Structures are given as C-alpha cells and as structure tokens.
Amino acid sequence: MSIQQIGYAFVNTPGIGGIVAISVITTAAVIYFFLTRWILYGNKEEEETSRDK
Amino acid sequence: MNEAWHPKNDGEEVVLSPIHAITNSDLWLWSILAAILLAGIVSWGIQFFVTGLAATGLNRPVYWGLYITNFVFFIGLAHSGTFISAILRLAGQGWRKPLTRAAEAITLFSLPFGVTSILIDMGRPDRALNIFIYGRFQSPLLWDITAVSLYLFSSVVFFYLSLIPDIALCRDRLTEVPAWQHRMYEILALGWTGKNSQFERLEKGLDGMAIFMTMLVITVHTVVSWVFGMTIQPGWHTALIGPFFLLGAIFSGTSAVVIVLAILRKTYHMENVLPISLFNSLRKLLITFTLGWLYMMIAENLTTSYGNLQEEMRVLGQKTGGDFAIMFWAMWILVFFVPLLIFIFKGKDSIPWMVGATVMVNIGMWMERFLVIVPTETRPRLLYELTKGVYHPTLIEWVITASLFSGLILLYAMFTRFFPIIPLWETADSLEAGENEQPSRGFHRHKFGETVATLKGK
C-alpha cells in the first residue's frame, strides 16, 4: 500500500474522521487537566523545594 | 479554610460591588430575556416536533438562511475574547488587561449559541452524531466540528484559568453572599492559595495557551469559511473567503467589546476602572479593521467583476442591484462609511459615539454574513437554469434568532452578577502585602518582588 493510498483511505474511509475529531478533543482534555493541576500544585520537585523553604 | 493571599487592587471594591446583591432591575431584565429565550425554545419545538423545516423559509435551492447566518455571526463574535486576550497578550499590549475578561466572556457565551444554531438548522439534530460515527476527513463539516469544538473547549479552559485567582478572592472576601454561592466559589477556586509560585505558573500557562489560542482562532474562522469556500458555488469559491471571514470576525468581536464595556462602565459605575483611554485604544484598532474590511471588499468584488464570469456576475448582480441591493448598500453604510467617519472625527474621548458606531458595525456585519450566504444560494451554479431561488425568513426563524441573542445577553448579565468582570489580579496596582494581608498560617511567604516583576512585566 503506497503512502498515497494510505492518505486516500484516511480521508475517505467513513468513521476515521470521527475518531480523529474525538481524539483531538480528548487529547486537549488531558493536556488541560494536567496544565490546571500544574498551575495549582506545580510538579513534585517544585512542591518539595517549596516545602524545604 | 485558610485565606489566600491576594494582590492589592484599589479598584477591588468597585469591581466586587455588582456581586454583592442582585437588584430588582436585574430580575426584571433576566425575566424579559428568559421569556424571549423561552419563546425561541417553543418555536424550535414547533419546528422540531410539528412542522419540521417547513416552518422556515428555507427551500430548494436556498438550504441555508438565518440559522447559518447566526452561526457564522456568533462564531465571529467569539473572536473578540481571543483577540483581546491572546493576541494582544502576545503583542505585549498592557492596556488590554482591564477588558480581557469582559471580552473573553463574549467568547465563552457566544460559542454555545453558534453551535446551537447549527443544531437548530438541522431538521434532525440527532444526525449530528453521524459526524462522529461515519465522519470522513474529506468533509469540511468535520473540520468545522473539530475546530469549533476544540475552540469552545479551549476557550472555557483559558477563561477559567485566568478567573481562578479572582474566584479565590470572592471566596475570601464575599462572606455575606448566600451559602450556595460561597460554596460555589470554594469549589471553583480549586484551593487557590495565592502563592508566588502559583502566580508564576499561571502566567506561564496563560502565555503558552495564548500562542495556541491565537493559532486556534485563525484556524476556526478560516475553517468555518471553508464550509462555503470548498464548494464551487459562485461567491463562495474564493481563496479570499478565509482571511475575509477572519477579519470580519475580529472586527465585529472588537466592536462588541466596546458595546459591552460601555454598558458595564455605566451600569456598574466603573469609570475609574475602565478609563476612556481604553476606548481610545480600541478606536485605533477599529479604524484599522474598518480599512482592512474595505480592502478585502474591494479585492474580492473587483477580482470577481473584472473576470466577468457569468455565474459570478449573477450573484454579484443580486447583491448590487438585485433582490439584496438594499441590504447590500445598507451594509456598506453601517459597516464602513458612517463608522469610519465616527471613529476618525467623533470617536476620540466620546463613548456614546463609539457605542453608536460599534452597534452599527455589528448590525452591518450580521447583514454581511447573510449576504455572503443567501444570494449565492438564490443563484447557484448549474441549478440557476432550472430555478431561481427566493428566501423569505419566517416568524419562527426571527423568533429563534432573537432568542439566541437574548440567551447570550442573559448569560452575560448573570455572569457579571456572580464573578468579577474585571480581572483583579491582572490589574493589581500594588502587590505589596499590607499588615493584614500576610499569607495565612500554613502557606509559604511570598517573594513579592518576583511576583511584581512577573506580573508587571506583562
């Protein structure tokens, strides 16, 4: 299967587009979750440094 | 719960004052808006359960009308927040700070109504799920759904993150509010303590998101335009449609910010917090956008008319001298001629003139969306020989349209009564802690100098 055929299959096969759309939203949700957690609590090292002070 | 540390802000009392009590005037306003919203829901119920899309003026070949016009307009309006907050943030424009939240709230509350407009336009809204089940990436509709969903989601997060310190402030300062409201602040504040390191991370996080949001805002409205542009219909199939949509979106969004700021300033007596210099800065931007709009208009219409292709000229003729001529020339007056004159000669230091001009711009931009969509459908390629389309929106469409705008205003008005509409931590005039503002026991003492440097460097 050539790259061209894979590309064609990707944009034309029913369902794949939906999976991509859902994946994009899910990935964003995961990233935003960790971003929020990092803003609030920092990472482990930062917390430990903060505790030492 | 221990009280967090909050940057000192002289405008705190003024900004928090609308949150202390809901007045009778508020209740009246909310009731009226809710009634209009309810009328829209009933109208949609009739459309959905009784008549189907026969309740609308949509027909063959005019498949898209008021609902899609509203969709494009609301998505455009939503660009105000991202433009003010993200793009101006990256450009280092410090004057934007007091108006960021007011602008972002427009984004937040416009987007759901944009998405709703699509669902209303569908005779069978349940079929929206087919996009996810059978979606093919060949379809611009899937690009649209992906981009708009991501934009809505990201806007909520971007808005919420910058709101957290101020929610914590409400949690700590507003002790006299009803228990449920105070509980809401406690939950939404996510245990914010106001540590120096938290502010630093918040700034970093928002900076990073601002870059992403800027890319997203360009993508979203371009993709919305491609729903039209990827067809080979006259008037739509042009590479200019993306940039034109984007410019129009930022233009109408920024105009909406002026209207909202003026109302907030007057209603909540925020003259000191929202100084007239903000309106003057926005005025300069609006002059640029008005001229940009003129450039796009000329570039598009001159290219089309010079080519003199039969199909294109039919659509252009519909706008300039046909069924839509009155609306077309009214749009020119409302979007360009009068606002530009006002911005240049009357707008400086005059909020009423600015509001007048920006209201005109928004009405005109709604017309522009309509004129992009409908004239093409009345004179489509190929089908033109078989049928000449006509479109007259019905009462149900107008009621639903009014209800969407009412819903937007209702959500906005309610928001301003529960959350600070001016970002207090971003506009803090002094970050020095007073004697009574020492971090509570259990919290680490802040390095105020660093916080000042971080916050004031923006």
mmCIF file of all heavy atoms in Angstrom, chain B residues 399-430:
data_model
loop_
_atom_site.group_PDB
_atom_site.id
_atom_site.type_symbol
_atom_site.label_atom_id
_atom_site.label_comp_id
_atom_site.label_asym_id
_atom_site.label_seq_id
_atom_site.Cartn_x
_atom_site.Cartn_y
_atom_site.Cartn_z
ATOM 1 N N VAL B 399 -37.950 34.656 15.536
ATOM 2 C CA VAL B 399 -38.097 34.487 16.989
ATOM 3 C C VAL B 399 -36.911 33.689 17.540
ATOM 4 O O VAL B 399 -36.335 34.041 18.580
ATOM 5 C CB VAL B 399 -39.433 33.768 17.331
ATOM 6 C CG1 VAL B 399 -39.492 33.414 18.810
ATOM 7 C CG2 VAL B 399 -40.607 34.659 16.975
ATOM 8 N N ILE B 400 -36.544 32.629 16.836
ATOM 9 C CA ILE B 400 -35.401 31.828 17.294
ATOM 10 C C ILE B 400 -34.124 32.676 17.273
ATOM 11 O O ILE B 400 -33.303 32.614 18.198
ATOM 12 C CB ILE B 400 -35.254 30.553 16.440
ATOM 13 C CG1 ILE B 400 -36.418 29.597 16.754
ATOM 14 C CG2 ILE B 400 -33.918 29.859 16.693
ATOM 15 C CD1 ILE B 400 -36.455 28.333 15.930
ATOM 16 N N THR B 401 -33.969 33.485 16.241
ATOM 17 C CA THR B 401 -32.791 34.366 16.167
ATOM 18 C C THR B 401 -32.765 35.324 17.361
ATOM 19 O O THR B 401 -31.728 35.471 18.030
ATOM 20 C CB THR B 401 -32.816 35.183 14.851
ATOM 21 O OG1 THR B 401 -32.765 34.267 13.759
ATOM 22 C CG2 THR B 401 -31.644 36.141 14.760
ATOM 23 N N ALA B 402 -33.912 35.941 17.648
ATOM 24 C CA ALA B 402 -33.983 36.865 18.791
ATOM 25 C C ALA B 402 -33.673 36.132 20.090
ATOM 26 O O ALA B 402 -32.996 36.673 20.979
ATOM 27 C CB ALA B 402 -35.367 37.497 18.858
ATOM 28 N N SER B 403 -34.150 34.905 20.187
ATOM 29 C CA SER B 403 -33.936 34.147 21.429
ATOM 30 C C SER B 403 -32.460 33.809 21.632
ATOM 31 O O SER B 403 -31.967 33.788 22.761
ATOM 32 C CB SER B 403 -34.782 32.877 21.444
ATOM 33 O OG SER B 403 -34.225 31.908 20.604
ATOM 34 N N LEU B 404 -31.751 33.570 20.545
ATOM 35 C CA LEU B 404 -30.314 33.270 20.674
ATOM 36 C C LEU B 404 -29.558 34.490 21.204
ATOM 37 O O LEU B 404 -28.707 34.374 22.084
ATOM 38 C CB LEU B 404 -29.739 32.842 19.320
ATOM 39 C CG LEU B 404 -30.253 31.510 18.761
ATOM 40 C CD1 LEU B 404 -29.745 31.290 17.340
ATOM 41 C CD2 LEU B 404 -29.840 30.347 19.634
ATOM 42 N N PHE B 405 -29.896 35.659 20.677
ATOM 43 C CA PHE B 405 -29.244 36.871 21.164
ATOM 44 C C PHE B 405 -29.638 37.154 22.612
ATOM 45 O O PHE B 405 -28.809 37.582 23.423
ATOM 46 C CB PHE B 405 -29.592 38.062 20.256
ATOM 47 C CG PHE B 405 -28.799 38.064 18.979
ATOM 48 C CD1 PHE B 405 -29.292 37.485 17.827
ATOM 49 C CD2 PHE B 405 -27.537 38.622 18.937
ATOM 50 C CE1 PHE B 405 -28.558 37.462 16.645
ATOM 51 C CE2 PHE B 405 -26.787 38.605 17.762
ATOM 52 C CZ PHE B 405 -27.302 38.026 16.619
ATOM 53 N N SER B 406 -30.909 36.894 22.938
ATOM 54 C CA SER B 406 -31.351 37.088 24.322
ATOM 55 C C SER B 406 -30.603 36.155 25.259
ATOM 56 O O SER B 406 -30.213 36.551 26.359
ATOM 57 C CB SER B 406 -32.848 36.801 24.457
ATOM 58 O OG SER B 406 -33.561 37.730 23.751
ATOM 59 N N GLY B 407 -30.436 34.922 24.817
ATOM 60 C CA GLY B 407 -29.720 33.946 25.638
ATOM 61 C C GLY B 407 -28.301 34.397 25.914
ATOM 62 O O GLY B 407 -27.806 34.305 27.050
ATOM 63 N N LEU B 408 -27.658 34.935 24.888
ATOM 64 C CA LEU B 408 -26.287 35.424 25.048
ATOM 65 C C LEU B 408 -26.237 36.569 26.070
ATOM 66 O O LEU B 408 -25.417 36.561 27.002
ATOM 67 C CB LEU B 408 -25.756 35.897 23.685
ATOM 68 C CG LEU B 408 -24.460 36.714 23.683
ATOM 69 C CD1 LEU B 408 -23.302 35.919 24.230
ATOM 70 C CD2 LEU B 408 -24.138 37.210 22.280
ATOM 71 N N ILE B 409 -27.158 37.517 25.919
ATOM 72 C CA ILE B 409 -27.174 38.667 26.836
ATOM 73 C C ILE B 409 -27.519 38.205 28.254
ATOM 74 O O ILE B 409 -26.935 38.669 29.240
ATOM 75 C CB ILE B 409 -28.179 39.741 26.352
ATOM 76 C CG1 ILE B 409 -27.769 40.247 24.972
ATOM 77 C CG2 ILE B 409 -28.248 40.914 27.329
ATOM 78 C CD1 ILE B 409 -28.825 41.082 24.271
ATOM 79 N N LEU B 410 -28.444 37.252 28.354
ATOM 80 C CA LEU B 410 -28.857 36.745 29.671
ATOM 81 C C LEU B 410 -27.672 36.104 30.404
ATOM 82 O O LEU B 410 -27.406 36.412 31.569
ATOM 83 C CB LEU B 410 -29.985 35.720 29.501
ATOM 84 C CG LEU B 410 -30.486 35.041 30.775
ATOM 85 C CD1 LEU B 410 -31.109 36.058 31.724
ATOM 86 C CD2 LEU B 410 -31.504 33.947 30.451
ATOM 87 N N LEU B 411 -26.964 35.230 29.718
ATOM 88 C CA LEU B 411 -25.822 34.571 30.349
ATOM 89 C C LEU B 411 -24.770 35.591 30.773
ATOM 90 O O LEU B 411 -24.186 35.505 31.852
ATOM 91 C CB LEU B 411 -25.194 33.546 29.396
ATOM 92 C CG LEU B 411 -25.970 32.253 29.151
ATOM 93 C CD1 LEU B 411 -25.189 31.338 28.228
ATOM 94 C CD2 LEU B 411 -26.255 31.533 30.457
ATOM 95 N N TYR B 412 -24.551 36.566 29.892
ATOM 96 C CA TYR B 412 -23.541 37.583 30.189
ATOM 97 C C TYR B 412 -23.940 38.403 31.413
ATOM 98 O O TYR B 412 -23.129 38.629 32.324
ATOM 99 C CB TYR B 412 -23.347 38.499 28.974
ATOM 100 C CG TYR B 412 -22.010 39.196 28.975
ATOM 101 C CD1 TYR B 412 -20.986 38.740 28.163
ATOM 102 C CD2 TYR B 412 -21.757 40.272 29.812
ATOM 103 C CE1 TYR B 412 -19.743 39.354 28.178
ATOM 104 C CE2 TYR B 412 -20.525 40.882 29.821
ATOM 105 C CZ TYR B 412 -19.523 40.424 29.006
ATOM 106 O OH TYR B 412 -18.296 41.018 29.019
ATOM 107 N N ALA B 413 -25.207 38.833 31.413
ATOM 108 C CA ALA B 413 -25.687 39.667 32.520
ATOM 109 C C ALA B 413 -25.605 38.902 33.843
ATOM 110 O O ALA B 413 -25.202 39.450 34.870
ATOM 111 C CB ALA B 413 -27.113 40.112 32.249
ATOM 112 N N MET B 414 -25.968 37.633 33.813
ATOM 113 C CA MET B 414 -25.924 36.832 35.037
ATOM 114 C C MET B 414 -24.478 36.639 35.505
ATOM 115 O O MET B 414 -24.180 36.694 36.689
ATOM 116 C CB MET B 414 -26.605 35.476 34.809
ATOM 117 C CG MET B 414 -28.109 35.597 34.634
ATOM 118 S SD MET B 414 -28.913 34.033 34.355
ATOM 119 C CE MET B 414 -28.961 33.377 36.004
ATOM 120 N N PHE B 415 -23.597 36.420 34.553
ATOM 121 C CA PHE B 415 -22.190 36.215 34.904
ATOM 122 C C PHE B 415 -21.632 37.414 35.676
ATOM 123 O O PHE B 415 -20.916 37.255 36.670
ATOM 124 C CB PHE B 415 -21.361 35.961 33.642
ATOM 125 C CG PHE B 415 -19.895 35.817 33.914
ATOM 126 C CD1 PHE B 415 -19.368 34.606 34.335
ATOM 127 C CD2 PHE B 415 -19.028 36.894 33.768
ATOM 128 C CE1 PHE B 415 -18.012 34.480 34.608
ATOM 129 C CE2 PHE B 415 -17.684 36.774 34.040
ATOM 130 C CZ PHE B 415 -17.170 35.567 34.459
ATOM 131 N N THR B 416 -21.994 38.616 35.201
ATOM 132 C CA THR B 416 -21.430 39.816 35.841
ATOM 133 C C THR B 416 -21.925 39.992 37.277
ATOM 134 O O THR B 416 -21.343 40.762 38.039
ATOM 135 C CB THR B 416 -21.792 41.107 35.065
ATOM 136 O OG1 THR B 416 -23.212 41.240 35.044
ATOM 137 C CG2 THR B 416 -21.250 41.063 33.656
ATOM 138 N N ARG B 417 -23.005 39.300 37.637
ATOM 139 C CA ARG B 417 -23.520 39.392 38.998
ATOM 140 C C ARG B 417 -22.931 38.327 39.928
ATOM 141 O O ARG B 417 -23.215 38.315 41.115
ATOM 142 C CB ARG B 417 -25.047 39.266 38.986
ATOM 143 C CG ARG B 417 -25.750 40.536 38.557
ATOM 144 C CD ARG B 417 -25.474 41.662 39.516
ATOM 145 N NE ARG B 417 -26.273 42.863 39.262
ATOM 146 C CZ ARG B 417 -26.115 44.002 39.899
ATOM 147 N NH1 ARG B 417 -25.177 44.121 40.825
ATOM 148 N NH2 ARG B 417 -26.861 45.039 39.627
ATOM 149 N N PHE B 418 -22.153 37.428 39.380
ATOM 150 C CA PHE B 418 -21.582 36.368 40.224
ATOM 151 C C PHE B 418 -20.049 36.337 40.217
ATOM 152 O O PHE B 418 -19.440 35.725 41.091
ATOM 153 C CB PHE B 418 -22.125 35.000 39.793
ATOM 154 C CG PHE B 418 -23.585 34.815 40.119
ATOM 155 C CD1 PHE B 418 -24.558 35.013 39.156
ATOM 156 C CD2 PHE B 418 -23.985 34.492 41.408
ATOM 157 C CE1 PHE B 418 -25.905 34.873 39.466
ATOM 158 C CE2 PHE B 418 -25.325 34.339 41.726
ATOM 159 C CZ PHE B 418 -26.290 34.534 40.755
ATOM 160 N N PHE B 419 -19.455 36.935 39.201
ATOM 161 C CA PHE B 419 -17.987 36.897 39.101
ATOM 162 C C PHE B 419 -17.465 38.291 38.731
ATOM 163 O O PHE B 419 -18.158 39.036 38.039
ATOM 164 C CB PHE B 419 -17.544 35.879 38.038
ATOM 165 C CG PHE B 419 -17.930 34.475 38.364
ATOM 166 C CD1 PHE B 419 -19.100 33.925 37.847
ATOM 167 C CD2 PHE B 419 -17.150 33.687 39.204
ATOM 168 C CE1 PHE B 419 -19.480 32.630 38.158
ATOM 169 C CE2 PHE B 419 -17.525 32.390 39.518
ATOM 170 C CZ PHE B 419 -18.699 31.857 38.995
ATOM 171 N N PRO B 420 -16.227 38.610 39.158
ATOM 172 C CA PRO B 420 -15.664 39.927 38.798
ATOM 173 C C PRO B 420 -15.449 40.007 37.287
ATOM 174 O O PRO B 420 -14.788 39.137 36.720
ATOM 175 C CB PRO B 420 -14.322 39.957 39.527
ATOM 176 C CG PRO B 420 -14.354 38.834 40.500
ATOM 177 C CD PRO B 420 -15.310 37.817 39.989
ATOM 178 N N ILE B 421 -15.996 41.021 36.683
ATOM 179 C CA ILE B 421 -15.892 41.145 35.227
ATOM 180 C C ILE B 421 -14.589 41.834 34.808
ATOM 181 O O ILE B 421 -14.208 41.833 33.647
ATOM 182 C CB ILE B 421 -17.136 41.873 34.650
ATOM 183 C CG1 ILE B 421 -17.261 41.680 33.130
ATOM 184 C CG2 ILE B 421 -17.139 43.339 35.008
ATOM 185 C CD1 ILE B 421 -17.507 40.287 32.681
ATOM 186 N N ILE B 422 -13.914 42.408 35.800
ATOM 187 C CA ILE B 422 -12.573 42.969 35.549
ATOM 188 C C ILE B 422 -11.565 42.054 36.259
ATOM 189 O O ILE B 422 -11.750 41.750 37.441
ATOM 190 C CB ILE B 422 -12.438 44.391 36.140
ATOM 191 C CG1 ILE B 422 -13.598 45.284 35.695
ATOM 192 C CG2 ILE B 422 -11.082 45.004 35.794
ATOM 193 C CD1 ILE B 422 -13.635 45.596 34.240
ATOM 194 N N PRO B 423 -10.527 41.604 35.572
ATOM 195 C CA PRO B 423 -9.560 40.716 36.230
ATOM 196 C C PRO B 423 -8.757 41.459 37.305
ATOM 197 O O PRO B 423 -7.883 42.264 36.968
ATOM 198 C CB PRO B 423 -8.658 40.244 35.086
ATOM 199 C CG PRO B 423 -8.862 41.211 33.988
ATOM 200 C CD PRO B 423 -10.186 41.864 34.171
ATOM 201 N N LEU B 424 -9.075 41.202 38.545
ATOM 202 C CA LEU B 424 -8.453 41.964 39.640
ATOM 203 C C LEU B 424 -6.974 41.663 39.799
ATOM 204 O O LEU B 424 -6.163 42.544 40.064
ATOM 205 C CB LEU B 424 -9.203 41.670 40.946
ATOM 206 C CG LEU B 424 -10.550 42.397 41.069
ATOM 207 C CD1 LEU B 424 -11.400 41.782 42.151
ATOM 208 C CD2 LEU B 424 -10.320 43.871 41.321
ATOM 209 N N TRP B 425 -6.616 40.398 39.640
ATOM 210 C CA TRP B 425 -5.198 40.065 39.863
ATOM 211 C C TRP B 425 -4.324 40.572 38.726
ATOM 212 O O TRP B 425 -3.184 40.959 38.937
ATOM 213 C CB TRP B 425 -5.015 38.556 40.064
ATOM 214 C CG TRP B 425 -5.226 37.715 38.825
ATOM 215 C CD1 TRP B 425 -6.405 37.232 38.364
ATOM 216 C CD2 TRP B 425 -4.226 37.275 37.898
ATOM 217 N NE1 TRP B 425 -6.221 36.512 37.215
ATOM 218 C CE2 TRP B 425 -4.892 36.512 36.902
ATOM 219 C CE3 TRP B 425 -2.841 37.434 37.810
ATOM 220 C CZ2 TRP B 425 -4.216 35.919 35.840
ATOM 221 C CZ3 TRP B 425 -2.167 36.844 36.736
ATOM 222 C CH2 TRP B 425 -2.859 36.097 35.780
ATOM 223 N N GLU B 426 -4.882 40.631 37.532
ATOM 224 C CA GLU B 426 -4.076 41.119 36.403
ATOM 225 C C GLU B 426 -3.931 42.632 36.431
ATOM 226 O O GLU B 426 -2.977 43.182 35.905
ATOM 227 C CB GLU B 426 -4.713 40.687 35.079
ATOM 228 C CG GLU B 426 -4.374 39.270 34.691
ATOM 229 C CD GLU B 426 -4.702 38.971 33.244
ATOM 230 O OE1 GLU B 426 -5.879 38.722 32.942
ATOM 231 O OE2 GLU B 426 -3.774 38.982 32.414
ATOM 232 N N THR B 427 -4.929 43.313 37.019
ATOM 233 C CA THR B 427 -4.876 44.783 37.047
ATOM 234 C C THR B 427 -4.402 45.296 38.400
ATOM 235 O O THR B 427 -4.563 46.479 38.691
ATOM 236 C CB THR B 427 -6.270 45.368 36.763
ATOM 237 O OG1 THR B 427 -7.204 44.801 37.695
ATOM 238 C CG2 THR B 427 -6.740 45.066 35.365
ATOM 239 N N ALA B 428 -3.844 44.407 39.227
ATOM 240 C CA ALA B 428 -3.410 44.813 40.558
ATOM 241 C C ALA B 428 -2.425 45.979 40.463
ATOM 242 O O ALA B 428 -1.451 45.921 39.703
ATOM 243 C CB ALA B 428 -2.758 43.645 41.271
ATOM 244 N N ASP B 429 -2.729 47.039 41.234
ATOM 245 C CA ASP B 429 -1.850 48.211 41.161
ATOM 246 C C ASP B 429 -0.698 48.110 42.151
ATOM 247 O O ASP B 429 0.276 48.824 42.061
ATOM 248 C CB ASP B 429 -2.641 49.494 41.401
ATOM 249 C CG ASP B 429 -3.659 49.340 42.496
ATOM 250 O OD1 ASP B 429 -3.452 48.480 43.378
ATOM 251 O OD2 ASP B 429 -4.649 50.053 42.485
ATOM 252 N N SER B 430 -0.857 47.247 43.128
ATOM 253 C CA SER B 430 0.236 47.056 44.065
ATOM 254 C C SER B 430 0.219 45.628 44.569
ATOM 255 O O SER B 430 -0.827 45.109 44.937
ATOM 256 C CB SER B 430 0.082 48.018 45.241
ATOM 257 O OG SER B 430 1.022 47.669 46.230
#
